[in-house]
Amino acid sequence: MPRLKDRHFDTVAEMIQDRVGIQIPPAKRTMVEGRLRKRMRALEIESLSDYGRHVFEEGHLSEEFVHIIDCVTTNKTDFFREPAHFDQLRDELVPRLRRGAAAQARLKIWSAAASTGAEAYTLAMVLHDMAMAGHALDYAILGTDVSTEVLRVAADGIYPEDVLQAVPPHFRRRYVMNARDPAWKVGRIVPELRARVRFKHLNLMNAQYAVDRDIDIIFCRNVLIYFDKDTQRAVLSRLATHLQPGGFLVVGHSESMAGAGVPGLVQVSSTVFARSKGAIG
């Protein structure tokens, strides 16, 4: 089967590393080519070599770049992934933030690698459940991602049955609407939660983020593992400047070492960091 020319694969890998921060070693070439074939077919181009020529030699890179990102970035996500974080959110992080004068303020949470929205809607389920249980809790959630394709899925809030299997039954009954036709085997997040969550495009490699600087909690989980150590540190340093003093940054269980030593962050548990109250940013 025809493949990308070596120079075109090298250009894709270098471009993704430079602009998105994700490393694509030669061992992932087959995966990349498999995903690019979907785009190739959408354009009715006959081979990957022709697609490479279309993009890199015939002047179509600017219009294809967003599609290349959508094709090659990994968008693994699940509802209630690493569930201990959501227990910690409910039992520790939110109660600490709701003490004193801040108790009446709107809680702002940012899902910084939102993918198709499962994490953001999981956060909304947990927070809405707290509010239903009697907590005086107002909240808003922002989900961002570098892939425009997954953000469209997130905004729709419609998921296949197999994806929704991870939602606990009591949350499923309360926060997911079943399709009218059972044959469709999909569910949609209820309007009450969709109204609390908004999604926007954002590249964590950007030097600045168009996001509020008084965020209470940032979830940035299972994306840092795709970055080298210098990029991890740079991303976490930028994220920290968007936390209010005393706000929390949550990383994935395999990323706990990435936050160590980042200016302005203090580790409070294995995967949770707090912005120190004397930090400037």
Side-chain angles (χ1 to χ4, degrees):
M1 183 177 292
R3 308 186 70 184
L4 277 176
K5 292 181 179 179
D6 290 346
R7 68 177 183 274
H8 291 159
F9 172 78
D10 292 342
T11 300
V12 168
E14 182 178 348
M15 184 172 61
I16 295 298
Q17 169 108 32
D18 289 345
R19 302 193 195 183
V20 187
I22 295 174
Q23 301 177 51
I24 303 180
K28 292 189 176 181
R29 179 168 179 162
T30 299
M31 177 203 74
V32 170
E33 291 177 335
R35 293 180 178 182
L36 288 178
R37 283 191 179 91
K38 297 179 182 178
R39 181 60 186 164
M40 176 193 84
R41 289 191 288 268
L43 294 174
E44 298 183 345
I45 293 174
E46 292 187 358
S47 70
L48 280 175
S49 59
D50 289 342
Y51 177 74
R53 183 166 56 253
H54 172 79
V55 173
F56 299 112
E57 298 172 20
E58 296 176 358
H60 297 282
L61 176 59
S62 60
E63 64 202 61
E64 279 300 297
F65 180 62
V66 65
H67 298 292
I68 292 173
I69 290 176
D70 288 342
C71 287
V72 305
T73 50
T74 299
N75 295 301
K76 166 67 176 173
T77 185
D78 296 295
F79 285 90
F80 289 88
R81 186 179 185 183
E82 298 184 353
H85 283 151
F86 301 103
D87 294 338
Q88 193 171 12
L89 174 79
R90 180 193 64 232
D91 298 336
E92 300 175 32
L93 305 187
V94 172
R96 285 174 62 171
L97 289 165
R98 307 314 289 162
R99 292 173 187 156
Q104 301 305 314
R106 169 171 282 193
L107 194 71
K108 293 183 177 182
I109 300 187
W110 177 12
S111 172
S115 187
T116 54
E119 178 179 85
Y121 289 127
T122 299
L123 290 165
M125 290 179 191
V126 173
L127 294 172
H128 202 274
D129 207 55
M130 292 180 70
M132 294 281 288
H135 296 268
L137 185 60
D138 185 21
Y139 68 91
I141 297 169
L142 170 66
T144 64
D145 202 275
V146 71
S147 170
T148 55
E149 183 177 349
V150 298
L151 290 173
R152 284 193 289 270
V153 175
D156 288 341
I158 300 173
Y159 300 96
E161 180 68 31
D162 60 336
V163 173
L164 292 168
Q165 288 294 327
V167 179
H170 65 290
F171 283 117
R172 175 72 185 269
R173 289 190 295 270
R174 183 174 289 177
Y175 300 122
V176 180
M177 301 180 296
N178 294 321
R180 291 182 180 179
D181 184 348
W184 287 357
K185 297 188 183 302
V186 297
R188 190 176 195 189
I189 304 302
V190 297
E192 296 93 325
L193 294 197
R194 298 202 313 273
R196 295 279 187 166
V197 184
R198 66 184 178 94
F199 295 96
K200 65 182 289 186
H201 179 267
L202 185 142
N203 186 348
L204 291 173
M205 291 291 287
N206 291 347
Q208 295 183 337
Y209 304 148
V211 175
D212 293 346
R213 291 186 177 270
D214 60 348
I215 304 296
D216 294 287
I217 304 173
I218 299 174
F219 272 59
C220 185
R221 305 185 306 158
N222 304 303
V223 65
L224 298 172
I225 54 175
Y226 299 106
F227 301 157
D228 61 34
K229 290 184 178 180
D230 289 342
T231 302
Q232 290 177 354
R233 186 176 179 85
V235 167
L236 290 176
S237 295
R238 288 192 289 269
L239 289 174
T241 68
H242 290 269
L243 283 170
Q244 67 159 320
F248 298 105
L249 170 66
V250 182
V251 300
H253 288 296
S254 61
E255 301 165 324
S256 58
M257 294 302 296
V262 173
L265 292 179
V266 177
Q267 193 163 12
V268 296
S269 69
S270 61
T271 56
V272 178
F273 298 81
R275 187 179 183 192
S276 57
K277 297 195 175 180
I280 299 175

